[in-house]
Amino acid sequence: MMLVPCPWCGPRNVAEFRYVGESSARPDPATTSASDWRTYLYTRRNPCDWIKETWYHRMGCRQYFGLERHTMTNRTRPAESSR
Ligand SMILES: [Zn+2]
């Protein structure tokens, strides 16, 4: 069982959450080409390392939050911006 650390509720079973996706900086729509939008929307890095993700606590506080997860071990830690 994987535990996800909700900043408001504490560590909870992953079944209570919805994985929203990998967090990445949104490009400027006024200056971005169609190719860059396609890359932003559909391409993920998929590294074997720590990545920033967005999660939603759907069966708890119903808050969105960011965290960092190691893709090989599934260990988690608070996102750098929330520390
Ligand atoms: Zn929560």
Side-chain angles (χ1 to χ4, degrees):
M1 176 178 68
M2 180 178 162
L3 293 177
V4 175
C6 176
W8 293 275
C9 307
R12 298 293 175 95
N13 188 326
V14 69
E16 295 184 12
F17 296 85
R18 183 170 66 88
Y19 173 75
V20 177
E22 183 179 339
S23 303
S24 57
R26 183 178 180 182
D28 181 1
T31 60
T32 303
S33 68
S35 174
D36 289 342
W37 267 113
R38 188 172 30 255
T39 300
Y40 167 72
L41 291 174
Y42 300 113
T43 303
R44 300 295 176 258
R45 295 182 307 120
N46 197 22
C48 182
D49 199 0
W50 290 96
I51 60 171
K52 293 180 182 178
E53 299 176 327
T54 302
W55 288 75
Y56 175 63
H57 197 178
R58 63 186 179 92
M59 297 175 70
C61 61
R62 298 181 181 228
Q63 297 288 320
Y64 287 89
F65 62 94
L67 62 78
E68 293 182 1
R69 180 179 62 87
H70 196 282
T71 56
M72 185 167 186
T73 64
N74 271 342
R75 288 180 49 211
T76 58
R77 63 187 184 194
E80 199 166 290
S81 60
S82 65
R83 278 191 260 171

